PDB file of all heavy atoms in Angstrom:
ATOM      1  N   LEU D  64     -46.572-124.505   1.578  1.00  0.00           N
ATOM      2  CA  LEU D  64     -46.364-125.877   1.980  1.00  0.00           C
ATOM      3  C   LEU D  64     -46.285-126.737   0.635  1.00  0.00           C
ATOM      4  O   LEU D  64     -45.475-127.533   0.488  1.00  0.00           O
ATOM      5  CB  LEU D  64     -47.510-126.398   2.824  1.00  0.00           C
ATOM      6  CG  LEU D  64     -47.391-127.855   3.154  1.00  0.00           C
ATOM      7  CD1 LEU D  64     -46.151-128.298   3.924  1.00  0.00           C
ATOM      8  CD2 LEU D  64     -48.566-128.361   4.048  1.00  0.00           C
ATOM      9  N   PHE D  65     -47.236-126.539  -0.203  1.00  0.00           N
ATOM     10  CA  PHE D  65     -47.266-127.291  -1.342  1.00  0.00           C
ATOM     11  C   PHE D  65     -46.081-127.150  -2.245  1.00  0.00           C
ATOM     12  O   PHE D  65     -45.596-127.974  -2.975  1.00  0.00           O
ATOM     13  CB  PHE D  65     -48.584-127.272  -2.046  1.00  0.00           C
ATOM     14  CG  PHE D  65     -49.674-128.177  -1.535  1.00  0.00           C
ATOM     15  CD1 PHE D  65     -50.493-127.707  -0.378  1.00  0.00           C
ATOM     16  CD2 PHE D  65     -49.943-129.424  -2.078  1.00  0.00           C
ATOM     17  CE1 PHE D  65     -51.484-128.507   0.104  1.00  0.00           C
ATOM     18  CE2 PHE D  65     -50.838-130.272  -1.373  1.00  0.00           C
ATOM     19  CZ  PHE D  65     -51.699-129.813  -0.425  1.00  0.00           C
ATOM     20  N   LYS D  66     -45.774-125.951  -2.378  1.00  0.00           N
ATOM     21  CA  LYS D  66     -44.615-125.570  -3.274  1.00  0.00           C
ATOM     22  C   LYS D  66     -43.433-126.168  -2.683  1.00  0.00           C
ATOM     23  O   LYS D  66     -42.431-126.724  -3.496  1.00  0.00           O
ATOM     24  CB  LYS D  66     -44.389-123.964  -3.303  1.00  0.00           C
ATOM     25  CG  LYS D  66     -45.459-123.284  -4.178  1.00  0.00           C
ATOM     26  CD  LYS D  66     -45.211-121.805  -4.154  1.00  0.00           C
ATOM     27  CE  LYS D  66     -46.310-121.077  -5.128  1.00  0.00           C
ATOM     28  NZ  LYS D  66     -46.020-119.596  -4.965  1.00  0.00           N
ATOM     29  N   ARG D  67     -43.143-126.157  -1.501  1.00  0.00           N
ATOM     30  CA  ARG D  67     -41.892-126.793  -0.829  1.00  0.00           C
ATOM     31  C   ARG D  67     -41.963-128.346  -1.121  1.00  0.00           C
ATOM     32  O   ARG D  67     -40.848-128.894  -1.415  1.00  0.00           O
ATOM     33  CB  ARG D  67     -41.840-126.626   0.587  1.00  0.00           C
ATOM     34  CG  ARG D  67     -41.636-124.975   0.865  1.00  0.00           C
ATOM     35  CD  ARG D  67     -41.407-124.723   2.402  1.00  0.00           C
ATOM     36  NE  ARG D  67     -40.170-125.363   2.819  1.00  0.00           N
ATOM     37  CZ  ARG D  67     -39.769-125.367   4.137  1.00  0.00           C
ATOM     38  NH1 ARG D  67     -40.609-124.872   5.069  1.00  0.00           N
ATOM     39  NH2 ARG D  67     -38.673-126.036   4.497  1.00  0.00           N
ATOM     40  N   ILE D  68     -43.143-128.977  -0.864  1.00  0.00           N
ATOM     41  CA  ILE D  68     -43.311-130.396  -1.099  1.00  0.00           C
ATOM     42  C   ILE D  68     -42.904-130.784  -2.512  1.00  0.00           C
ATOM     43  O   ILE D  68     -42.361-131.805  -2.752  1.00  0.00           O
ATOM     44  CB  ILE D  68     -44.556-130.900  -0.653  1.00  0.00           C
ATOM     45  CG1 ILE D  68     -44.827-130.776   0.894  1.00  0.00           C
ATOM     46  CG2 ILE D  68     -44.876-132.328  -1.134  1.00  0.00           C
ATOM     47  CD1 ILE D  68     -46.161-131.085   1.399  1.00  0.00           C
ATOM     48  N   ALA D  69     -43.288-129.978  -3.499  1.00  0.00           N
ATOM     49  CA  ALA D  69     -43.129-130.131  -4.841  1.00  0.00           C
ATOM     50  C   ALA D  69     -41.697-129.845  -5.240  1.00  0.00           C
ATOM     51  O   ALA D  69     -41.228-130.145  -6.522  1.00  0.00           O
ATOM     52  CB  ALA D  69     -44.037-129.256  -5.689  1.00  0.00           C
ATOM     53  N   GLY D  70     -40.809-129.375  -4.275  1.00  0.00           N
ATOM     54  CA  GLY D  70     -39.348-129.271  -4.517  1.00  0.00           C
ATOM     55  C   GLY D  70     -39.075-127.838  -5.211  1.00  0.00           C
ATOM     56  O   GLY D  70     -38.016-127.624  -5.725  1.00  0.00           O
ATOM     57  N   GLN D  71     -39.999-126.912  -5.227  1.00  0.00           N
ATOM     58  CA  GLN D  71     -39.763-125.695  -5.842  1.00  0.00           C
ATOM     59  C   GLN D  71     -38.767-124.911  -5.034  1.00  0.00           C
ATOM     60  O   GLN D  71     -38.732-124.972  -3.742  1.00  0.00           O
ATOM     61  CB  GLN D  71     -41.046-124.774  -6.013  1.00  0.00           C
ATOM     62  CG  GLN D  71     -42.014-125.400  -7.012  1.00  0.00           C
ATOM     63  CD  GLN D  71     -43.248-124.346  -7.178  1.00  0.00           C
ATOM     64  OE1 GLN D  71     -43.119-123.181  -7.034  1.00  0.00           O
ATOM     65  NE2 GLN D  71     -44.304-125.030  -7.495  1.00  0.00           N
ATOM     66  N   GLU D  72     -37.860-124.093  -5.669  1.00  0.00           N
ATOM     67  CA  GLU D  72     -36.938-123.256  -5.037  1.00  0.00           C
ATOM     68  C   GLU D  72     -37.564-122.024  -4.349  1.00  0.00           C
ATOM     69  O   GLU D  72     -38.462-121.393  -4.924  1.00  0.00           O
ATOM     70  CB  GLU D  72     -35.776-122.868  -5.844  1.00  0.00           C
ATOM     71  CG  GLU D  72     -34.998-124.066  -6.375  1.00  0.00           C
ATOM     72  CD  GLU D  72     -33.759-123.668  -7.097  1.00  0.00           C
ATOM     73  OE1 GLU D  72     -33.561-122.410  -7.322  1.00  0.00           O
ATOM     74  OE2 GLU D  72     -32.960-124.506  -7.588  1.00  0.00           O
ATOM     75  N   GLY D  73     -37.153-121.630  -3.207  1.00  0.00           N
ATOM     76  CA  GLY D  73     -37.716-120.436  -2.578  1.00  0.00           C
ATOM     77  C   GLY D  73     -37.107-119.195  -3.099  1.00  0.00           C
ATOM     78  O   GLY D  73     -36.191-119.229  -3.915  1.00  0.00           O
ATOM     79  N   PRO D  74     -37.678-117.973  -2.853  1.00  0.00           N
ATOM     80  CA  PRO D  74     -38.785-117.840  -1.828  1.00  0.00           C
ATOM     81  C   PRO D  74     -40.144-118.377  -2.459  1.00  0.00           C
ATOM     82  O   PRO D  74     -40.281-118.230  -3.711  1.00  0.00           O
ATOM     83  CB  PRO D  74     -38.785-116.246  -1.533  1.00  0.00           C
ATOM     84  CG  PRO D  74     -38.201-115.767  -2.738  1.00  0.00           C
ATOM     85  CD  PRO D  74     -37.294-116.700  -3.365  1.00  0.00           C
ATOM     86  N   TRP D  75     -40.975-118.905  -1.592  1.00  0.00           N
ATOM     87  CA  TRP D  75     -42.214-119.417  -2.233  1.00  0.00           C
ATOM     88  C   TRP D  75     -43.469-118.484  -2.009  1.00  0.00           C
ATOM     89  O   TRP D  75     -44.564-118.894  -2.225  1.00  0.00           O
ATOM     90  CB  TRP D  75     -42.511-120.687  -1.261  1.00  0.00           C
ATOM     91  CG  TRP D  75     -41.376-121.721  -1.354  1.00  0.00           C
ATOM     92  CD1 TRP D  75     -41.024-122.508  -2.423  1.00  0.00           C
ATOM     93  CD2 TRP D  75     -40.364-121.927  -0.453  1.00  0.00           C
ATOM     94  NE1 TRP D  75     -39.951-123.261  -2.241  1.00  0.00           N
ATOM     95  CE2 TRP D  75     -39.531-122.901  -0.933  1.00  0.00           C
ATOM     96  CE3 TRP D  75     -40.040-121.304   0.837  1.00  0.00           C
ATOM     97  CZ2 TRP D  75     -38.292-123.365  -0.165  1.00  0.00           C
ATOM     98  CZ3 TRP D  75     -38.951-121.821   1.557  1.00  0.00           C
ATOM     99  CH2 TRP D  75     -38.157-122.809   1.016  1.00  0.00           C
ATOM    100  N   THR D  76     -43.216-117.317  -1.564  1.00  0.00           N
ATOM    101  CA  THR D  76     -44.344-116.306  -1.555  1.00  0.00           C
ATOM    102  C   THR D  76     -43.864-114.949  -1.693  1.00  0.00           C
ATOM    103  O   THR D  76     -42.723-114.604  -1.516  1.00  0.00           O
ATOM    104  CB  THR D  76     -45.006-116.454  -0.086  1.00  0.00           C
ATOM    105  OG1 THR D  76     -45.984-115.413  -0.020  1.00  0.00           O
ATOM    106  CG2 THR D  76     -43.985-116.221   1.008  1.00  0.00           C
ATOM    107  N   ASP D  77     -44.834-113.997  -2.155  1.00  0.00           N
ATOM    108  CA  ASP D  77     -44.420-112.624  -2.254  1.00  0.00           C
ATOM    109  C   ASP D  77     -44.777-111.872  -0.975  1.00  0.00           C
ATOM    110  O   ASP D  77     -44.400-110.706  -0.838  1.00  0.00           O
ATOM    111  CB  ASP D  77     -45.197-112.045  -3.346  1.00  0.00           C
ATOM    112  CG  ASP D  77     -44.646-112.561  -4.807  1.00  0.00           C
ATOM    113  OD1 ASP D  77     -43.508-112.925  -4.815  1.00  0.00           O
ATOM    114  OD2 ASP D  77     -45.575-112.642  -5.719  1.00  0.00           O
ATOM    115  N   ASP D  78     -45.349-112.448  -0.101  1.00  0.00           N
ATOM    116  CA  ASP D  78     -45.781-111.999   1.270  1.00  0.00           C
ATOM    117  C   ASP D  78     -44.474-111.732   2.134  1.00  0.00           C
ATOM    118  O   ASP D  78     -43.765-112.642   2.518  1.00  0.00           O
ATOM    119  CB  ASP D  78     -46.732-112.896   2.062  1.00  0.00           C
ATOM    120  CG  ASP D  78     -47.252-112.171   3.271  1.00  0.00           C
ATOM    121  OD1 ASP D  78     -46.599-111.579   4.023  1.00  0.00           O
ATOM    122  OD2 ASP D  78     -48.489-112.468   3.481  1.00  0.00           O
ATOM    123  N   PRO D  79     -44.121-110.340   2.299  1.00  0.00           N
ATOM    124  CA  PRO D  79     -43.000-110.154   3.084  1.00  0.00           C
ATOM    125  C   PRO D  79     -42.953-110.697   4.529  1.00  0.00           C
ATOM    126  O   PRO D  79     -41.874-110.959   5.032  1.00  0.00           O
ATOM    127  CB  PRO D  79     -42.895-108.621   2.976  1.00  0.00           C
ATOM    128  CG  PRO D  79     -44.264-108.080   2.845  1.00  0.00           C
ATOM    129  CD  PRO D  79     -44.915-109.152   1.956  1.00  0.00           C
ATOM    130  N   ILE D  80     -44.155-110.712   5.199  1.00  0.00           N
ATOM    131  CA  ILE D  80     -44.180-111.151   6.472  1.00  0.00           C
ATOM    132  C   ILE D  80     -43.968-112.723   6.473  1.00  0.00           C
ATOM    133  O   ILE D  80     -43.118-113.171   7.422  1.00  0.00           O
ATOM    134  CB  ILE D  80     -45.564-110.806   7.077  1.00  0.00           C
ATOM    135  CG1 ILE D  80     -45.829-109.448   7.014  1.00  0.00           C
ATOM    136  CG2 ILE D  80     -45.704-111.414   8.575  1.00  0.00           C
ATOM    137  CD1 ILE D  80     -47.257-108.965   7.426  1.00  0.00           C
ATOM    138  N   LEU D  81     -44.539-113.433   5.696  1.00  0.00           N
ATOM    139  CA  LEU D  81     -44.377-114.900   5.605  1.00  0.00           C
ATOM    140  C   LEU D  81     -42.841-115.214   5.189  1.00  0.00           C
ATOM    141  O   LEU D  81     -42.322-116.324   5.576  1.00  0.00           O
ATOM    142  CB  LEU D  81     -45.323-115.590   4.625  1.00  0.00           C
ATOM    143  CG  LEU D  81     -46.701-115.636   5.189  1.00  0.00           C
ATOM    144  CD1 LEU D  81     -47.679-116.136   4.134  1.00  0.00           C
ATOM    145  CD2 LEU D  81     -46.796-116.488   6.339  1.00  0.00           C
TER     146      LEU D  81
END
Side-chain angles (χ1 to χ4, degrees):
L64 173 66
F65 277 88
K66 286 180 179 178
R67 294 186 67 187
I68 291 173
Q71 294 186 28
E72 293 187 3
W75 303 281
T76 179
D77 293 328
D78 186 317
I80 303 174
L81 287 171

